[in-house]
Amino acid sequence: MAIGQKLEEARNRKGISIREASESTKIRGDFLTSFEAGKFDLQLPEVYLRGFIRVYARFLGIDPESAVDDLSTWRERKTPPPPKTRSIEYR
């Protein structure tokens, strides 16, 4: 199951709205909505993104380290491999 789906299902199980989660975690509601939709390409430094996921997961009762690992896995799948380079022989 994708990390966004895990977050959304956990919040729904607790019967908490995005607004309530935002007020409790102090994380903007639009960020939480994006996280739950699986959209992590926000203009946030990586340290903030990982911290927000950790805080939100802990709030929802999800293992925070597992959530961050899921985020890292998502990032790896999303990141294209580096371009292949050709070596040039100089004479």
Side-chain angles (χ1 to χ4, degrees):
M1 180 184 308
I3 180 61
Q5 189 177 359
K6 286 181 187 177
L7 295 170
E8 183 177 18
E9 285 183 7
R11 181 181 56 78
N12 288 332
R13 272 195 308 275
K14 291 184 101 171
I16 300 169
S17 70
I18 288 286
R19 183 177 183 174
E20 292 168 320
S22 176
E23 289 173 359
S24 294
T25 62
K26 307 298 185 214
I27 301 170
R28 288 177 25 182
D30 58 327
F31 288 166
L32 298 181
T33 301
S34 292
F35 298 160
E36 290 185 4
K39 297 177 183 175
F40 301 100
D41 293 331
L42 305 171
Q43 296 300 315
L44 286 172
E46 184 71 16
V47 68
Y48 284 97
L49 178 60
R50 294 169 70 87
F52 287 163
I53 294 296
R54 196 173 273 120
V55 167
Y56 193 36
R58 188 175 298 120
F59 171 74
L60 295 174
I62 298 172
D63 176 40
E65 295 311 313
S66 173
V68 170
D69 289 345
D70 289 348
L71 175 65
S72 296
T73 300
W74 178 87
R75 284 261 195 236
E76 289 169 8
R77 284 185 285 137
K78 190 83 170 157
T79 305
K84 293 183 180 180
T85 58
R86 293 183 2 192
S87 57
I88 299 173
E89 190 175 312
Y90 293 99
R91 294 179 185 212

